Amino acid sequence: MGTVERRRWRGSSALTLLCATALLAVSGMTGAAQAAPLPEPGAKSLEQVRKEIDELYHQAGTATDAYNLADSETKAQSAKIVEIAKQVVAGQDRITALKNRAGAAARAQYRSGGMPAGAQLALSGSPSQFLDGADRIRQGEKATADLLSEMNRTQGDLQQYAKDASAQWEKLEANRVKQETSKKQIEEKIKAAESLESKLEAEEKARLIQLEQDAQYKAQTSWLSTGVLKEINSSASESGKKAVRFATGQIGKPYKWGAEGPDSFDCSGLTSQAWLAAGKGIPRTSQEQLRLLPKVAIKDMRPGDLIIYFDDASHVGMYVGDGAIVHAPRPGRNITLTGAGSMPIKAVVRPDA
């Protein structure tokens, strides 16, 4: 290779190397600009955050049911204590009346000179007076025995009332402790969930809601794919229609634990008030609704029936037809319509069976 050729080759090689170096530099810069930032070690994905928030709210829902049950029992026990107090007052009045009758009998005997009726009868010289007197003595003895028996019975009732009142007070205090414990648990779980959510950026919060909806949609689609709607009887009773009208009329109102309206509701507060509006009183909590209301098969489900969710029966919604429920989801969310199969179904119950 001649001198001129070698110079040309070296120049060409240098130019090629320079271009290649420049190209790599540009590619590196472009790659750096387009690459997403690597997550910090140990950082949670938004889906993990969603599941953690859902679990916290689920635990809060369980504690809410316990709080509502304790509250319901506290009200019932308070009413019993009031009733017992009324019975005690009536018993005391009865004792006073019986004592007055006994006092009147003693005064009558005193006015007769203190002589027993039997002795007065023995001194009587008239046969007819003797017979009349004997009958009166028998009546008097029976009246006295009845009076003493009634006094003893009333005294016994008062003692039992005292025992009942003491037992109800103990239950009342125990339920107040349960309420306070559940309230503390609810507030802790909600605070933890809100703290997690508050750390998200606005775009992440919007994405979180989308993830919630996606999860619900996936569960609902899976439920519908079983063909369940083909089996469901959609004919509602008149009471069921009234309950559905009330429940759907609350759409848009906020969830609030322990609330029974009119401005906010929790899940079982909504269903119990809806059926109360339909003229049917039902248990206050989802767990009691499951325990005490008649169960029906999903294939026989109709609008107005209640669907109990999760293994611990911590959530409830009202079936409204077409595979949907109306429910109060959780703190931070409003009453809304969603798929009946968007959560794990435990059972279906019918308030007006």
Side-chain angles (χ1 to χ4, degrees):
M1 181 182 296
T3 304
V4 174
E5 285 79 3
R6 283 198 297 271
R7 287 177 179 172
R8 286 177 179 172
W9 180 84
R10 289 173 182 168
S12 175
S13 298
L15 180 61
T16 301
L17 181 60
L18 181 61
C19 290
T21 304
L23 182 61
L24 286 172
V26 171
S27 298
M29 290 174 63
T30 305
Q34 291 179 346
L38 294 174
E40 295 179 9
K44 297 177 182 177
S45 69
L46 194 56
E47 176 62 13
Q48 288 174 318
V49 172
R50 180 192 72 80
K51 289 181 178 179
E52 190 170 343
I53 288 174
D54 279 355
E55 178 57 26
L56 286 167
Y57 279 125
H58 176 79
Q59 292 172 10
T62 302
T64 297
D65 218 45
Y67 175 90
N68 288 337
L69 180 60
D71 181 62
S72 178
E73 290 179 346
T74 296
K75 289 176 181 176
Q77 284 145 7
S78 295
K80 285 181 181 178
I81 289 171
V82 170
E83 183 60 32
I84 289 171
K86 291 178 180 178
Q87 291 172 331
V88 168
V89 170
Q92 289 173 336
D93 290 344
R94 185 66 181 156
I95 287 290
T96 299
L98 291 171
K99 286 180 178 179
N100 289 339
R101 282 172 54 188
R107 288 191 294 275
Q109 185 175 358
Y110 177 78
R111 285 194 295 271
S112 67
M115 184 179 292
Q120 295 180 30
L121 182 59
L123 296 174
S124 173
S126 169
S128 61
Q129 186 178 356
F130 180 86
L131 293 174
D132 290 343
D135 186 56
R136 284 197 300 272
I137 288 175
R138 284 194 297 271
Q139 292 177 0
E141 288 175 345
K142 184 178 183 304
T144 300
D146 289 346
L147 178 64
L148 292 173
S149 177
E150 192 169 355
M151 287 183 70
N152 289 333
R153 187 168 57 250
T154 304
Q155 290 282 12
D157 288 344
L158 287 174
Q159 291 175 356
Q160 186 59 49
Y161 294 155
K163 291 180 181 178
D164 291 345
S166 178
Q168 291 302 325
W169 273 114
E170 288 178 6
K171 290 180 181 179
L172 188 68
E173 289 305 309
N175 275 309
R176 282 177 178 163
V177 171
K178 288 180 184 177
Q179 276 183 280
E180 288 302 315
T181 301
S182 297
K183 180 180 179 181
K184 184 178 179 181
Q185 290 174 345
I186 294 165
E187 291 172 342
E188 286 176 351
K189 299 302 180 183
I190 292 176
K191 184 178 179 180
E194 289 174 342
S195 177
L196 273 176
E197 203 164 349
S198 69
K199 295 174 183 177
L200 300 176
E201 300 293 337
E203 290 182 2
E204 290 177 313
K205 288 180 181 178
R207 177 62 182 153
L208 180 67
I209 293 175
Q210 185 62 51
L211 287 174
E212 288 179 6
Q213 294 172 347
D214 289 347
Q216 292 169 2
Y217 176 78
K218 183 178 179 181
Q220 174 73 355
T221 302
S222 175
W223 183 66
L224 293 177
S225 68
T226 64
V228 67
L229 281 187
K230 296 177 183 178
E231 299 181 330
I232 289 178
N233 176 6
S234 61
S235 178
S237 66
E238 286 305 312
S239 295
K241 291 175 184 177
K242 292 178 182 178
V244 169
R245 277 197 296 270
F246 179 93
T248 53
Q250 314 310 312
I251 289 175
K253 292 183 179 180
Y255 176 104
K256 182 179 179 182
W257 65 269
E260 298 177 89
D263 300 321
S264 58
F265 297 83
D266 62 21
C267 66
S268 57
L270 176 65
T271 55
S272 59
Q273 288 300 306
W275 271 101
L276 187 61
K280 176 73 175 179
I282 65 172
R284 169 65 177 89
T285 71
S286 56
Q287 292 176 350
E288 289 295 281
Q289 288 169 3
L290 172 66
R291 188 173 72 87
L292 298 174
L293 296 179
K295 297 176 180 63
V296 297
I298 289 179
K299 67 182 180 63
D300 297 323
M301 188 163 61
R302 69 190 188 194
D305 288 346
L306 306 182
I307 303 181
I308 310 296
Y309 292 98
F310 303 109
D311 287 339
D312 59 3
S314 58
H315 191 69
V316 60
M318 179 180 291
Y319 185 65
V320 296
D322 294 326
I325 61 166
V326 59
H327 74 143
R330 65 166 176 83
R333 299 289 184 266
N334 296 333
I335 295 170
T336 187
L337 291 171
T338 193
S342 60
M343 295 167 283
I345 295 175
K346 183 173 180 65
V348 179
V349 296
R350 178 166 295 164
D352 62 340

